[in-house]
Amino acid sequence: MKKDVSEKNQVEEIVQMSGVSRRHFLALGSGLALAGLIGTVSSCKKDDDPIVTPDGTIDLGSGDIGILNYAYALEQLEAAFYTKVVESFASGFSATEKALLTDIRDHEVAHREFFKAALGAKAIPGLTPNFSSIDFGNRTQVLATAKTFEDLGVAAYNGAGQLIQDEAYLLLAGKIVSVEARHAAYIRDLIAPGSFANAEVIDANGLEMSKLPPAVLAAASSFLTSKISGNNLPTS
Amino acid sequence: MNFGNILNQIAEQDPEVFERTSDRRNIIKNWGKRAALTALPFAVGSLFNKAYGKSTATVIEILNFALTLEYLERDFYKKAIDTNQMAQFIPTASALGAIQTIYQHEAAHVSFLIAAIQGAGGTPISQPTFDFSGANGANNGPFATAFSNYNLFLAVAQTFEDTGVRAYKGQAAGLKADNGVLTAALNIHSVEARHASHIRWMRSNLVADPLAAGVAKPWITGNNSNIASSDVQASYNGENVTVQATVPITGFVSTNAATEAFDEPLTMAEVLAIVDGFIV
């Protein structure tokens, strides 16, 4: 009981300090527990907030919150894509392939929902994807798009690592990126066996070719109706 | 004594490590007493952790640690390719092609890390002698037939790759101060994950029903190795986490998917204990 009271007091204190409405803050769900993840004081700073500008562009925000929203945006895109893939599989997928693509869908949903919960009130809104260029009934197109998303995701997380300040977030990004790389390799092997790590994505030093946010957002934008801006993301 | 040798070698390249831990003689003394514990990786691991906690490891120490693992992987695939030339055990051209691709990446990682260590003013750790049977040089360990038994070869390869992924992940925070080195390490980390995925896929293609229970998927389910040997289990312990930064992932997806969606790190000491048996 005592602990509950003191936790409640801490929440009140943080809320008062930050000027965030109590209702908004508690909408995080488990209150303090999640506030611990995004850092109590820094999470309540106004200047890293993502915002929607008058023309409808979603600004990802700045600092670590901006990077987490950047990851959240990419995970939203991937989860939405695989949800459509699995809803109605193109012909030609084997039972094994269907099962593993369903696994991938679940992993991306887990990533998306994780970021949403962790960011709480700091999260950007749900994005509207634009998959009009993809024929979901065509196995080849589905796999080609999956490859684009997975390779892009790996390159994005690798490139964002150096932009993250908090060690805990860096580790979380690391926990996710290797799973994206596992996906990327599998999808590539479905398209062309043995292409799991070819010269399209790996350089002569055996290193993945990572990408910084501007290049990633440019590539992602063709699959989004929502406009997103990374103008306030950290650059070093 | 091989585990002690790794400790000594890394320390020789960075004498300050023992000064930071405040009592070099004590560590060496304890090490002498506990040398017999090499058969108990976790006990040795915890000793190592005390002497050489990750919070104090320098960039050069971390790169030398990574280099040790890359030497191991490179030489493992090299031996497979060389052995296969004399006595074929890799069944198809496509399988051999994949092993050659992975070998080339590991060889490139070795060269890259040596250059990176030298560039940072450090001395690259010398190449260890390996016993891929996992018997510390006795060559009669549990993986003794890895270069004639294709299934066993792939199982060991999977374990090395999955361990490598966890090892790099565990060092990311320690490289944070150097953006260039951190990015390079991340760019190796994801390549190891691609390798792991492909090796797992190769293994699943050897069975009639890849969806049967116990068959490896490209990702790690729970803390299952999907290898019929308890000798590799340490590489998978702790992979069955379902709560990430206080968020219960099982609130969104199944328990299996929750564990698969996030790969977990290993500490330097845990990794060195795992590879201990392979180093003479």
Side-chain angles (χ1 to χ4, degrees):
Chain A
M1 280 301 277
K2 257 186 182 166
K3 189 168 169 255
D4 287 346
V5 171
S6 102
E7 279 188 3
K8 192 175 169 221
N9 288 344
Q10 280 181 45
V11 170
E12 297 287 359
E13 238 180 74
I14 293 160
V15 167
Q16 281 165 15
M17 263 164 32
S18 64
V20 177
S21 87
R22 182 170 191 273
R23 201 166 46 131
H24 203 173
F25 190 87
L26 292 182
L28 272 167
S30 50
L32 251 195
L34 287 175
L37 166 63
I38 53 176
T40 44
V41 175
S42 69
S43 74
C44 296
K45 273 195 327 201
K46 281 286 183 194
D47 59 2
D48 54 8
D49 278 3
I51 51 163
V52 181
T53 59
D55 75 343
T57 300
I58 297 161
D59 187 285
L60 295 170
S62 63
D64 280 356
I65 297 297
I67 296 296
L68 294 182
N69 268 314
Y70 171 59
Y72 177 42
L74 295 175
E75 297 293 352
Q76 285 192 48
L77 194 53
E78 287 188 306
F81 170 74
Y82 286 107
T83 297
K84 285 209 73 164
V85 169
V86 171
E87 254 168 26
S88 172
F89 275 111
S91 59
F93 283 117
S94 71
T96 301
E97 289 164 357
K98 286 179 182 175
L100 295 185
L101 287 166
T102 305
D103 278 4
I104 296 178
R105 191 253 340 246
D106 290 347
H107 303 162
E108 306 299 5
V109 166
H111 295 161
R112 180 190 68 197
E113 294 303 311
F114 166 75
F115 281 116
K116 187 180 180 186
L119 281 157
K122 296 283 185 184
I124 55 168
L127 301 175
T128 307
N130 173 7
F131 296 141
S132 59
S133 64
I134 307 158
D135 177 0
F136 282 90
N138 181 318
R139 183 183 193 272
T140 303
Q141 278 196 34
V142 166
L143 289 178
T145 310
K147 174 180 136 179
T148 299
F149 282 148
E150 297 295 352
D151 284 343
L152 186 66
V154 177
Y157 277 103
N158 281 4
Q162 62 177 312
L163 307 178
I164 298 173
Q165 296 305 314
D166 186 297
E167 287 186 8
Y169 303 158
L170 178 59
L171 177 59
L172 276 163
K175 289 181 178 204
I176 292 174
V177 67
S178 56
V179 175
E180 303 292 353
R182 291 173 188 274
H183 295 168
Y186 173 64
I187 297 288
R188 287 175 150 272
D189 279 332
L190 290 186
I191 295 171
S195 66
F196 56 100
N198 70 14
E200 288 172 1
V201 284
I202 314 296
D203 72 15
N205 287 318
L207 272 59
E208 184 103 26
M209 291 183 268
S210 49
K211 291 188 168 76
L212 288 168
V216 172
L217 291 173
S221 67
S222 59
F223 298 102
L224 282 170
T225 301
S226 307
K227 281 188 193 145
I228 53 178
S229 158
N231 288 345
N232 293 310
L233 291 178
T235 53
S236 65
Chain B
M1 283 301 286
N2 49 302
F3 193 76
N5 286 344
I6 305 174
L7 184 71
N8 286 335
Q9 271 211 36
I10 294 180
E12 272 168 30
Q13 314 308 341
D14 179 28
E16 286 178 8
V17 63
F18 283 122
E19 284 162 29
R20 279 200 307 277
T21 57
S22 82
D23 192 345
R24 180 191 168 111
R25 267 177 309 177
N26 231 355
I27 292 159
I28 298 293
K29 199 172 66 188
N30 282 340
W31 174 255
K33 272 187 201 156
R34 298 191 184 201
L37 291 178
T38 44
L40 300 167
F42 283 109
V44 175
S46 81
L47 171 68
F48 191 91
N49 217 8
K50 279 178 202 154
Y52 201 77
K54 79 170 183 180
S55 59
T56 57
T58 66
V59 167
I60 289 172
E61 288 158 16
I62 292 171
L63 292 175
N64 265 321
F65 165 69
L67 178 58
T68 305
L69 299 180
E70 298 290 354
Y71 278 137
L72 176 74
E73 290 184 313
R74 180 195 66 178
D75 287 16
F76 174 72
Y77 293 113
K78 179 73 163 63
K79 185 160 183 183
I81 292 164
D82 288 350
T83 306
N84 190 64
Q85 271 184 344
M86 294 179 290
Q88 187 187 355
F89 73 100
I90 299 172
T92 64
S94 65
L96 180 60
I99 298 307
Q100 283 168 332
T101 297
I102 295 175
Y103 161 70
Q104 284 158 7
H105 292 157
E106 310 299 9
H109 295 164
V110 167
S111 304
F112 179 84
L113 288 170
I114 288 173
I117 291 164
Q118 288 170 337
T123 306
I125 199 165
S126 57
Q127 183 176 342
T129 302
F130 295 114
D131 171 1
F132 294 112
S133 82
N136 296 123
N139 292 307
N140 60 355
F143 314 111
T145 58
F147 301 109
S148 57
N149 176 339
Y150 181 59
N151 283 301
L152 183 61
F153 166 71
L154 289 183
V156 176
Q158 177 194 303
T159 306
F160 283 167
E161 297 294 347
D162 283 334
T163 304
V165 172
R166 299 188 71 182
Y168 276 97
K169 203 186 312 295
Q171 298 308 313
L175 298 175
K176 225 177 73 59
D178 189 323
N179 281 346
V181 174
L182 172 63
T183 302
L186 291 173
N187 286 335
I188 295 177
H189 170 247
S190 61
V191 173
E192 303 294 347
R194 286 175 183 269
H195 294 169
S197 176
H198 186 76
I199 296 282
R200 288 168 156 271
W201 184 72
M202 289 169 80
R203 292 186 69 225
S204 73
N205 285 341
L206 296 178
V207 301
D209 178 11
L211 295 178
V215 178
K217 297 176 183 179
W219 27 90
I220 302 169
T221 308
N223 62 357
N224 303 315
S225 66
N226 301 121
I227 292 168
S229 164
S230 60
D231 293 301
V232 301
Q233 188 55 41
S235 291
Y236 295 91
N237 288 339
E239 271 288 356
N240 52 337
V241 174
T242 59
V243 176
Q244 298 294 342
T246 77
V247 179
I249 307 303
T250 45
F252 315 126
V253 294
S254 70
T255 300
N256 278 351
T259 63
E260 291 163 356
F262 296 82
D263 282 341
E264 300 299 323
L266 287 172
T267 65
M268 192 182 286
E270 285 167 341
V271 173
L272 289 175
I274 285 167
V275 301
D276 182 41
F278 297 101
I279 299 175
V280 178

